[in-house]
Amino acid sequence: MRVLVAAAGLTLAFPGAQAYGEGGAGLHRSMLKVVPLGDGAHVVTGGITNTGFVVGKDGVVVIDAQMLDADAVAMQREIRARTDLPLRAIILTHSDPDHINGLPAWPRGIMVIAQENTLSEMTDTVAGKQFYARPQPPVPADLKSYLPTELVRHSRTLTVGGISVVLTHLAAGHTDGDLVAWFPAQRVAFVGDLLTGGDPNLPDRGPYPVINLEKFGSSAGWLKVMKAALALNARVYVGGHGSAQVDRDQLKAMILATERRRDEVEKLFKAGKQLSEIRAILKDPPPSPPLFFPTFVEIVYAELLRA
């Protein structure tokens, strides 16, 4: 069942709980695979979301915790197959359940790093607050023991396990708690769900981002954040879903396509066109299973209505 959410006079469709299913059933899920990116950086594909880790001289920094305990445990086995160095920290790119619900499978007491709004959203989730308009997967019983303790407001540079990482939050993008984790020595940027192209759970999405209005995401903010990420001159950008390795040329093309589509929607909106007319003119495909997330056109239209 799909749950309908009214936003600024527009009803948007979001996935119901069974889209996630018990333990993620209903979502495309594959076996974990570790791909080295060079200089100790690795991306972990498979599971339900892309994650990663960086091995330094004194420890390991993990990026995102997986959704399922089984995948979090499997990821730790993959890390242990490559190094005996201690797990020093987990960086959360944002607060969606497919990135945080695996936290209780990681060592208790590990440093958890996140943007301030991610802490707020996780705290609300643990307290049982109905933060979201749609049902969510069950909250892990021990998630409260893994709330972030190291916080980022706008920008912070940390050295953990001998690894330097620059954590940046310029604006709301996918959510209002996104972090870009830039590892300058490795020239790798982990950006979470700011990049989701190619995700089999989001077919027909094209080059456009997923903007979560329930967590105060912003298409304009996404453009600002990703233009700044492009300026990092990273070798590789690692997104939270789909294509795990995006290069600068690919990212630039995504930014241009997103900016163009946003401008098209705004122009038609200002001309008095209704959403159905705009979608027909732009040949916008309908939301697709299993998640039925609103399309980028729908999101931009909702943003313009409430502006």
Side-chain angles (χ1 to χ4, degrees):
M1 183 177 72
R2 291 162 67 189
V3 179
L4 299 181
V5 179
L10 174 67
T11 300
L12 297 180
F14 290 90
Q18 67 275 21
Y20 295 97
E22 187 65 31
L27 292 180
H28 176 85
R29 178 170 172 257
S30 57
M31 297 295 292
L32 298 192
K33 179 181 178 182
V34 178
V35 180
L37 302 175
D39 296 318
H42 303 74
V43 60
V44 182
T45 63
I48 294 172
T49 183
N50 298 327
T51 56
F53 62 93
V54 180
V55 180
K57 64 179 181 179
D58 299 317
V60 180
V61 173
V62 174
I63 302 90
D64 284 331
Q66 295 283 343
M67 179 174 177
L68 305 179
D69 283 0
D71 290 332
V73 170
M75 183 173 170
Q76 290 174 72
R77 283 200 300 268
E78 294 290 350
I79 294 172
R80 284 290 157 252
R82 290 158 177 81
T83 180
D84 293 326
L85 290 171
L87 303 173
R88 298 292 190 188
I90 298 178
I91 298 168
L92 302 178
T93 59
H94 61 296
S95 65
D96 284 354
D98 51 330
H99 294 256
I100 70 169
N101 278 13
L103 277 168
W106 295 84
R108 185 182 286 268
I110 191 170
M111 181 190 301
V112 180
I113 306 167
Q115 205 275 335
E116 290 177 352
N117 292 328
T118 290
L119 171 61
S120 296
E121 290 157 3
M122 290 178 65
T123 301
D124 287 343
T125 298
V126 166
K129 181 178 177 179
Q130 287 296 105
F131 183 84
Y132 309 102
R134 64 183 184 271
Q136 293 290 296
V139 177
D142 202 29
L143 187 63
K144 62 182 180 296
S145 299
Y146 290 82
L147 294 177
T149 54
E150 293 293 328
L151 300 179
V152 180
R153 177 166 295 176
H154 300 301
S155 183
R156 187 174 178 186
T157 300
L158 297 174
T159 300
V160 182
I163 304 160
S164 178
V165 57
V166 182
L167 302 166
T168 305
H169 173 81
L170 289 181
H174 173 66
T175 72
D176 66 353
D178 299 326
L179 275 185
V180 171
W182 164 236
F183 294 86
Q186 290 76 19
R187 292 183 60 205
V188 174
F190 289 86
V191 302
D193 285 4
L194 290 163
L195 290 178
T196 56
D199 183 3
N201 290 308
L202 294 166
D204 303 320
R205 194 74 193 187
Y208 310 117
V210 174
I211 305 298
N212 189 339
L213 294 184
E214 292 178 305
K215 291 185 178 178
F216 310 103
S218 164
S219 61
W222 184 92
L223 286 167
K224 178 180 179 180
V225 171
M226 298 317 291
K227 286 177 181 179
L230 186 65
L232 293 173
N233 197 30
R235 290 187 298 107
V236 179
Y237 298 88
V238 179
H241 297 274
S243 302
Q245 300 181 57
V246 173
D247 64 27
R248 294 189 75 255
D249 289 341
Q250 292 170 315
L251 179 56
K252 185 176 181 180
M254 292 176 189
I255 292 170
L256 290 173
T258 298
E259 192 163 40
R260 185 181 304 114
R261 178 50 56 99
R262 191 177 188 279
D263 288 345
E264 290 170 341
V265 176
E266 185 172 17
K267 181 178 179 180
L268 291 167
F269 177 86
K270 289 180 177 178
K273 300 295 185 183
Q274 299 300 308
L275 176 59
S276 59
E277 296 175 292
I278 295 173
R279 293 191 63 193
I281 291 168
L282 298 179
K283 298 180 173 58
D284 188 41
S288 53
L291 292 176
F292 295 102
F293 281 142
T295 69
F296 185 68
V297 169
E298 289 179 309
I299 290 295
V300 174
Y301 187 86
E303 290 177 319
L304 293 169
L305 277 179
R306 72 184 188 186

